[in-house]
Amino acid sequence: MNQHEFQENHNNPAQNNQVRPIDLLLDEAWLRQAVQAEELVGGNIGAGLNWGSAFGDLMLTGELLGRLTTLRISLNKEVRLLINDWNLGAATKIAVKTARERILEKLRLPTPKVRQHIVMILGRDELYGEEFISNREVLRESLEILLTPQDWETIAVVAADSLKQQIIHQAGGEKLSA
């Protein structure tokens, strides 16, 4: 189903108005119709919320791409502030880098729970009036959903390995005295 057919649908809440991509994403009736159209042709035509390969196409719309970018940048900033508060010293930089990589991975290939949360956040107009999302409570909640205990364990292992390598390098390059 293309956008023109969607606009002709009598159940269209946006009839006679310009369709905003975020509205399509949140319109359950449209999503059902899109999934049915996909099933009719027996393949993935990028309908529904199975982002996989269709995620990139969905995010090419200006408004959604802008919101997703703002969300990602805001999450990156929040995770940096969080990790900086932990005083990890020399391991801070690699811990932040690893956390950011995990966030990007989760945004690219979201689980159903993450996808549902992202859709909800993208639909909250009040969060997108500034360069960054300033509601730290929303960002911390998002980090709790995106980064699993396994992700945090990976971040910790990478940070510890980095610190270990720095210590070994420093100890090997300097004469140690008692």
Side-chain angles (χ1 to χ4, degrees):
M1 169 178 292
N2 63 33
Q3 189 173 352
H4 177 71
E5 290 169 335
F6 173 73
Q7 288 175 335
E8 290 179 355
N9 183 342
H10 295 291
N11 297 326
N12 178 1
Q15 194 168 6
N16 299 324
N17 295 325
Q18 187 176 32
V19 175
R20 296 180 338 143
I22 191 75
D23 294 335
L24 292 177
L25 186 63
L26 300 173
D27 183 354
E28 195 171 324
W30 180 84
L31 289 174
R32 276 195 211 109
Q33 290 173 343
V35 170
Q36 286 174 345
E38 184 175 271
E39 288 173 356
L40 285 174
V41 296
N44 183 0
I45 58 171
L49 288 178
N50 181 7
W51 285 349
S53 62
F55 184 68
D57 294 334
L58 178 65
M59 290 300 121
L60 287 178
T61 62
E63 182 180 5
L64 287 178
L65 180 59
R67 285 184 178 207
L68 186 65
T69 301
T70 299
L71 176 60
R72 184 182 55 81
I73 291 169
S74 300
L75 289 168
N76 285 344
K77 179 181 175 187
E78 190 63 29
V79 82
R80 178 181 49 81
L81 293 172
L82 178 65
I83 292 173
N84 280 342
D85 286 347
W86 295 342
N87 296 319
L88 301 179
T92 299
K93 186 175 181 180
I94 192 68
V96 170
K97 181 179 185 271
T98 305
R100 287 177 173 177
E101 289 169 355
R102 291 291 183 186
I103 289 168
L104 183 59
E105 179 182 305
K106 300 297 175 108
L107 292 175
R108 284 186 176 155
L109 298 171
T111 64
K113 180 180 178 181
V114 169
R115 184 180 317 126
Q116 180 181 7
H117 181 76
I118 292 169
V119 167
M120 188 258 313
I121 296 294
L122 292 176
R124 289 184 59 185
D125 293 337
E126 76 277 7
L127 296 175
Y128 298 95
E130 302 172 20
E131 183 178 2
F132 297 105
I133 295 173
S134 59
N135 186 328
R136 295 187 74 191
E137 185 178 314
V138 167
L139 294 172
R140 292 283 171 112
E141 178 185 316
S142 296
L143 287 175
E144 288 176 13
I145 291 170
L146 265 71
L147 298 176
T148 65
Q150 295 83 5
D151 293 321
W152 286 113
E153 185 173 333
T154 299
I155 293 163
V157 167
V158 169
D161 260 1
S162 173
L163 191 55
K164 177 182 171 183
Q165 293 303 319
Q166 288 181 34
I167 291 170
I168 292 170
H169 177 74
Q170 291 296 328
E174 297 179 11
K175 185 175 181 179
L176 300 176
S177 58

